[in-house]
Amino acid sequence: MALNDNATLVVGSGNYLTAPVGTPMPDDLLVPTSPWQTVGHTSLEDVFGITSDGGEATTIGTLQNKSLRTKYSARTETMTLTLQQFDLAGLKLYFGANAPVLPDGSVGVPAEPVPTQSAFLAIFIDGENHFAIYAPKAEIYRNDDMAIADTESLAGLPLGVKPMTLGNNSWTYAVTPLGGIVATGATAGTPGSFTPTGAVVPASLDDLAAVTATPTSAWTTGKYVALGDGSNAFWSGTAWTAGKAA
């Protein structure tokens, strides 16, 4: 991996947004439009975190090779942030989407809370760089107990955001790489090229999932694109396939 100074990140500002489940990532991350809505003020000290459960490794062997393979259990990840806005929307994110609004305007804390389901987007700004984390489907609910420690700091509502698989997706959330332009198109050649100009070459076959092929019909014999891991791929007319078109 080459050194890339432009791929470093120091968060200067940021925002967290929600939208209905399945809402795509906005075209302009710096100016997200409806239906994306900000969750409100969040902590300057506890900016963001990702914790995980699971992922334990189990070594599988044979009589001839005691360490033949390694199998990993499923991993569940939780994104954490601290909301500092105690309005109706914020309280429902913390106490549950089914928290009732009582006749006097207060919010009831449900005995059997239901997490809020939505698409989730975190955007972090570093000068001209911006880094985003996007989940098309997530469950949002309290991540820790609320504690008001003193009279000088803003009180907070610790939230946990659990990304979930949407439909036939093989992924739960996506992140935008820094230091280059994401490839959105691939043109057949020997090898072919990626667009827009200057786009970072996708690392592997899996990274071609969101790349549009040109032409969209099956590529002719010998056509391919070279990937970052040293492998090749071509468009079969219906899917990206490893190797060169035959």
Side-chain angles (χ1 to χ4, degrees):
M1 181 183 297
L3 294 176
N4 186 345
D5 295 347
N6 294 325
T8 58
L9 178 68
V10 176
V11 176
S13 62
N15 216 342
Y16 307 103
L17 305 100
T18 59
V21 170
T23 301
M25 186 185 298
D27 294 330
D28 187 347
L29 290 171
L30 299 182
V31 189
T33 57
S34 180
W36 288 102
Q37 294 185 336
T38 179
V39 301
H41 290 288
T42 58
S43 174
L44 185 61
E45 285 76 29
D46 301 320
V47 176
F48 190 77
I50 299 178
T51 61
S52 62
D53 292 314
E56 293 84 3
T58 301
T59 301
I60 303 173
T62 66
L63 185 62
Q64 291 73 32
N65 185 342
K66 302 297 190 297
S67 303
L68 180 63
R69 295 178 57 183
T70 302
K71 181 179 180 180
Y72 294 88
S73 64
R75 182 182 296 274
T76 301
E77 296 183 290
T78 302
M79 304 174 189
T80 59
L81 59 111
T82 300
L83 182 63
Q84 292 181 322
Q85 192 161 303
F86 285 66
D87 54 8
L88 175 60
L91 292 173
K92 279 180 167 285
L93 286 177
Y94 184 77
F95 288 111
N98 60 331
V101 178
L102 305 180
D104 63 357
S106 60
V107 177
V109 178
E112 297 182 3
V114 175
T116 297
Q117 283 200 356
S118 71
F120 175 78
L121 179 66
I123 303 172
F124 302 108
I125 310 299
D126 177 10
E128 295 183 355
N129 269 347
H130 52 276
F131 176 70
I133 300 174
Y134 162 71
K137 181 181 180 181
E139 286 191 347
I140 306 175
Y141 184 56
R142 72 169 73 182
N143 187 62
D144 203 349
D145 297 335
M146 180 178 66
I148 301 177
D150 55 59
T151 60
E152 298 178 351
S153 304
L154 290 170
L157 299 168
L159 295 179
V161 180
K162 295 184 181 296
M164 305 176 70
T165 302
L166 176 64
N168 295 324
N169 288 349
S170 60
W171 51 278
T172 55
Y173 66 97
V175 297
T176 58
L178 294 177
I181 304 169
V182 176
T184 57
T187 303
T190 54
S193 59
F194 292 97
T195 56
T197 302
V200 174
V201 174
S204 66
L205 183 65
D206 290 341
D207 296 320
L208 289 174
V211 175
T212 301
T214 301
T216 56
S217 56
W219 288 5
T220 56
T221 301
K223 303 297 183 182
Y224 69 98
V225 287
L227 303 176
D229 62 2
S231 64
N232 301 318
F234 68 95
W235 181 250
S236 70
T238 57
W240 289 105
T241 306
K244 300 179 182 181

